[in-house]
Amino acid sequence: MAGPLILAVETSCDETAIALVEGGRRIHSNVVASQVALHAASGGIVPEVAARAHLRWIVPVLDDALADAGVGVGDVDAIGVTNGPGLAGSLLVGINFAKTLAYVHRRPLVGVNHLEGHLYAAWLLDPDEPEREAPRFPLVALIVSGGHTFLVEMRDHLEYRLLGETADDAAGEAFDKVGRLLGLGYPGGPAIERAASAANRHDAVFPRAWLGDSYDFSFSGLKTAARRIVGEARLALGLPPGADTPPLPPAEVAELAWGFQASVVDVLATKTIRAAGRLGARSIVLGGGVAANTALRARLTADARALGVPLVIPRPGLCTDNGAMIGAAAHRRLAAGEQAGLELDARPSLPLVVR
Ligand code: KG4
Ligand code: ZN
C-alpha cells in the first residue's frame, strides 16, 4: 500500500457518501447515495428531509463501500469526516457515525472542511487510472459549488490564500435559480447545461459582472437580468411574463440557457486565468459541482493551454459531492498531525479561509 487507507464520510448536503481512499490519492471505492429525486418534488433541499435520508442510507452506503473495496472496517487506518460547512442536521449524521466507528474500532479520526475536499478532488486517482503527477504548487484553484464560489492560491498543502469570493449568490445557486426561472426543475445546473447544448442560435446576451480588476464574483445581477430577459421573451410570445406556465418553447429556453451559461463561464474562466498568469501558477485546479459543467471545462481547458499552465479538473462524478474527495483531504490533515476527538462537532458555517 502506498499510504494509509482512509474511510471518508460525507453527509454535508444531499448526498450520503462513503469512500475508501489510499494514500490520499487512490480510490478503492466511492459510493454516493443521491437524494436528488427526493428533493426534486419540492424544487430544493428540505434540511430535515435530507437529515432523515442520511440516517436511512448511511449504513447501506458503508456496507457497499466496504464490499466494493473488499475490506472490513478493521482494515482501515483512519477515518475522515466532513464537519462543515453544510446543513447542521446532515453534518451531524455523518459526524456521529464517523465518531462511533473511530471509537469502536480505535482508529484516529479527523474532521475535514467540505470545500477543502472539493479542492483535493484534483489529487484523486480512479481504481484503474494510471499514475499521474499531482497538481504542482503554487497553484490557483477555482471552487464553484451550490453554496460557494471562490478563487484561492495554494503555495503548499493546506495553505490557502483567498483571492476572491462571491459577494452574493454562489455560481451553482445561480444555475439552480435560473433553471427554475426557465422551468427546467431542480437541480438547475445539469438541466441548463443540457438545454444550452441544444441551442441553435447563440445570440442571447446576458450581462457579466466583472467588478473591475478584482477576483471577486457577483451573480445576483445576472439572476435579475435573467428574470427580466425571460419575462420579455414570454411577453413577446404573448405568455404571462411573471409565471412559468405555460413554459417558453424549447428553442427559446435553449437559447436563454446558453446565454446565461456563457456569461457565468466567461467570468469564472477569465478571472481564474488572470490570477494564474499573474501569480505564476504551476497548475490550475477546478472543483465543486459546477466544475462538472462541460462548457466551463472546455473553456478553461483551452485558456489554460494557451497560458501554458497544466489544468486539473476531476471527472464530473468527483466534482459533485462525494466521499473520495474527503478522503484525499483527510489524508493531508492526518499527515500534518491533526486528529479530532469525540468532541468533534458540526460547523455549519466553517470557512476555508478568512480573508
Ligand atoms: O458541489 P456540489 O455537488 O454541492 C455543494 O457543495 O453545493 O454542487 C452542487 C451544485 C448545484 O448548484 C448544481 O446545480 C451544480 O452544482 N451543478 C452544475 C452542474 N452539475 C452540478 N452546474 C452547472 N453545470 C453542471 N453540469
Ligand atoms: Zn460540495
Side-chain angles (χ1 to χ4, degrees):
M1 276 231 183
L5 185 66
I6 295 183
L7 186 152
V9 180
E10 153 64 41
T11 62
S12 68
C13 194
D14 61 344
E15 329 276 357
T16 313
I18 296 185
L20 284 147
V21 179
E22 178 194 339
R25 294 203 72 190
R26 182 67 67 184
I27 297 174
H28 284 235
S29 64
N30 190 24
V31 177
V32 180
S34 173
Q35 303 177 8
V36 162
L38 190 62
H39 298 297
S42 49
I45 298 164
V46 180
E48 286 73 15
V49 173
R52 278 198 291 272
H54 286 306
L55 276 175
R56 163 71 182 84
W57 289 107
I58 197 152
V59 172
V61 167
L62 172 70
D63 288 343
D64 281 1
L66 292 170
D68 285 359
V71 297
V73 184
D75 300 315
V76 165
D77 296 302
I79 293 165
V81 62
T82 306
N83 70 319
L87 302 168
S90 292
L91 287 165
L92 280 172
V93 176
I95 292 171
N96 286 299
F97 188 72
K99 274 202 272 198
T100 308
L101 283 177
Y103 181 78
V104 173
H105 292 272
R106 295 194 177 79
R107 291 292 186 274
L109 172 72
V110 70
V112 173
N113 184 308
H114 178 81
L115 305 171
E116 187 166 64
H118 275 307
L119 226 159
Y120 271 95
W123 272 259
L124 291 169
L125 296 165
D126 275 314
D128 302 320
E129 190 177 342
E131 282 289 336
R132 123 175 88 73
E133 205 187 349
R136 287 208 217 165
F137 301 113
L139 63 81
V140 163
L142 173 71
I143 303 301
V144 272
S145 73
H148 298 84
T149 299
F150 57 82
L151 199 56
V152 287
E153 179 190 29
M154 284 180 80
R155 299 208 145 262
D156 203 347
H157 282 298
L158 309 178
E159 279 180 25
Y160 313 104
R161 185 167 74 90
L162 186 65
L163 301 171
E165 62 189 329
T166 181
D168 35 63
D169 289 353
E173 201 177 349
F175 268 97
D176 292 338
K177 287 178 179 170
V178 172
R180 209 168 299 146
L181 213 60
L182 289 170
L184 291 171
Y186 166 88
I192 286 190
E193 171 172 343
R194 259 193 314 277
S197 67
N200 291 321
R201 297 204 336 259
H202 297 142
D203 305 329
V205 179
F206 283 70
R208 280 130 172 87
W210 294 113
L211 308 180
D213 195 33
S214 97
Y215 294 126
D216 286 329
F217 304 94
S218 167
F219 297 107
S220 72
L222 175 60
K223 191 184 59 195
T224 308
R227 188 172 302 121
R228 179 180 49 77
I229 292 167
V230 170
E232 285 168 5
R234 294 181 61 83
L235 208 56
L237 291 167
L239 302 172
D244 50 14
T245 45
L248 281 169
E252 199 85 20
V253 170
E255 200 199 340
L256 296 181
W258 176 86
F260 165 78
Q261 179 176 270
S263 165
V264 176
V265 167
D266 194 15
V267 174
L268 292 175
T270 301
K271 292 194 182 222
T272 304
I273 294 295
R274 188 189 296 153
R278 284 188 187 157
L279 297 170
R282 295 176 72 203
S283 36
I284 299 171
V285 163
L286 182 62
V290 180
N293 185 273
T294 312
L296 179 62
R297 298 167 77 93
R299 166 74 182 269
L300 270 172
T301 300
D303 288 4
R305 189 174 298 135
L307 186 67
V309 179
L311 170 73
V312 188
I313 318 179
R315 65 175 166 81
L318 296 175
C319 289
T320 48
D321 290 350
N322 65 87
M325 69 185 202
I326 302 305
H331 173 77
R332 287 292 154 197
R333 293 250 155 233
L334 285 161
E338 264 185 50
Q339 205 174 309
L342 291 184
E343 74 291 342
L344 184 70
D345 206 356
R347 304 255 328 256
S349 311
L350 182 67
L352 179 65
V353 261
V354 182
R355 200 200 287 254

